[in-house]
Amino acid sequence: MNSTTRNSLQDLLRACCMTPDVLDLRTLTQQVLSQMRISLYGGKSSIPMLPTFLKPFGTLTPNRPVAVAEWDDRQVQVSLVTFQDGNASLSDQNRFPIPGREYPAPLSDLIYAAAELLEPLLDRAKDVVLCLPFPVDYDSKGDGAVRLFPGTMTVSDYEGKPLLAGLRDELAGRGFSDLHLVLVSQVDAIQLAAGVEMPGQSRYLGLTWGTDVDAAFAAPGSIVLRWLGIPGQLMLFDGGFSSFEGVPFGLADLPKDRDCYAPGQDLLLKTTSTDYLGDTFRLVMIKAAERKLLSFGCSRDILSLTTLDLASVLDFLNDPEAGGTIAHFCREPEDREVGLVVAQAVLDRAARLVCAMVSAAAQFAGAGKDPASPACVGAWGPALELPALRSRLEAQLADFTRDTLGHHLILCTGQQMPAVGAAAAALYNP
């Protein structure tokens, strides 16, 4: 790549807010922390800071099956979780496409689907947990209502509707009335699962990164100054970070935001979610074509795309000459160089933004200040299963969170973490 092209490409990436000088991690972390504190004081904030009133510790009663129902924006999944000697085993797993994804649905349809899948498990389990990644406003009495469903779903009649009350009524109608029901957010379940998988660590945090992005931590309830009379004991908090709006937005983000749900909202989600990263690459490449940084043939091919998934970008990064669609478009060496720089910048930005979120949560909770006793971050989601994203996040956590801020963190990952942590929440909160 000649110096003229390199300088022009760097200018483009800066205009797309994908260079380190625009994405200063210290500044981003302080912005996140400011929004967290504003929320606690009751001001207008894009990070809601949601107290769950759930204890983050307790006893894992052995051989006591817990029925777990998990919602996300794709499916309802159930499993029976049992602990023995601190280890979790899962059985009786079943799943069903979630209502509201392929067609509009009322909240009652989601509750019905969960009850339908849970019913075969209730001859063995008296503890039932509903675990979901959507932000929930808890009522301090163990129940809560979904604050907002994601833009990929169309759900009606949910505002202010207590989830466990609806599920309890549905299960009672099926002859199951003597049940202990618990509601837990997915990211808090991830945090609890880390405590199960790696017991004895100094502190625990939760991280989800994939189609959604969020972080969790434990703190005294008294930090929520906006909520008079809130219990002061240690409890789990769901940050609700996906709605953070202080993200530098660039040329490629503006058309993407304009054409998707809720323009101007959920900016952290739109810049880090695995659902969006492929299209972000496509839009930056279109801007590169407009600036004559690509050959005519490559520009024509890129402009023919109406959408692009992350898998295609990763295929190109793994094999720039034969790695699928993008490699086929970038046949010229100069196009390949530009494409690789853009792909790396898109993934680097996502990792930096997630690092800022985790760093803010660690700073707020005072986690991992002792190098000899690092805090454990329960980390779960499709992004953490992709080496190209996980390695970037780990590098940022080492270079910035550890070496600059002095917060020492280790990651704990696992495929079954939501179900394991949700079951732990039921046993910790009888």
Side-chain angles (χ1 to χ4, degrees), residues 284-305:
V284 177
M285 289 292 281
I286 288 175
K287 297 299 180 182
E290 291 173 353
R291 297 191 178 201
K292 312 296 185 186
L293 300 179
L294 300 172
S295 67
F296 174 80
C298 183
S299 298
R300 178 195 59 206
D301 291 338
I302 290 292
L303 290 169
S304 71
L305 293 173

Side-chain angles (χ1 to χ4, degrees), residues 369-415:
K369 293 296 288 182
D370 183 358
S373 185
C376 179
V377 181
W380 181 87
L384 279 308
E385 298 174 8
L386 299 172
L389 288 173
R390 177 166 178 162
S391 63
R392 282 172 165 81
L393 176 61
E394 289 177 331
Q396 297 293 348
L397 291 174
D399 293 344
F400 176 71
T401 314
R402 183 192 67 198
D403 295 346
T404 302
L405 296 182
H407 291 274
H408 301 260
L409 308 176
I410 55 174
L411 297 185
C412 173
T413 59
Q415 290 188 342

Side-chain angles (χ1 to χ4, degrees), residues 2-64:
N2 61 50
S3 59
T4 301
T5 301
R6 185 181 299 108
N7 292 337
S8 297
L9 181 55
Q10 189 69 9
D11 289 343
L12 171 61
L13 294 177
R14 185 173 291 107
C16 290
C17 296
M18 292 184 181
T19 54
D21 57 331
V22 178
L23 290 169
D24 178 68
L25 274 172
R26 189 180 289 277
T27 300
L28 285 169
T29 301
Q30 288 303 314
Q31 287 178 329
V32 175
L33 275 169
S34 297
Q35 288 293 293
M36 294 168 70
R37 291 169 179 146
I38 289 170
S39 175
L40 292 172
Y41 280 107
K44 186 176 180 181
S45 170
S46 61
I47 299 177
M49 294 287 285
L50 304 167
T52 69
F53 301 89
L54 296 173
K55 290 192 301 182
F57 50 80
T59 302
L60 295 174
T61 307
N63 299 319
R64 179 175 177 132

Side-chain angles (χ1 to χ4, degrees), residues 132-153:
L132 61 164
F134 319 129
V136 171
D137 288 309
Y138 288 82
D139 63 5
S140 80
K141 298 176 182 178
D143 209 341
V146 174
R147 172 176 288 210
L148 186 68
F149 281 93
T152 52
M153 297 179 67

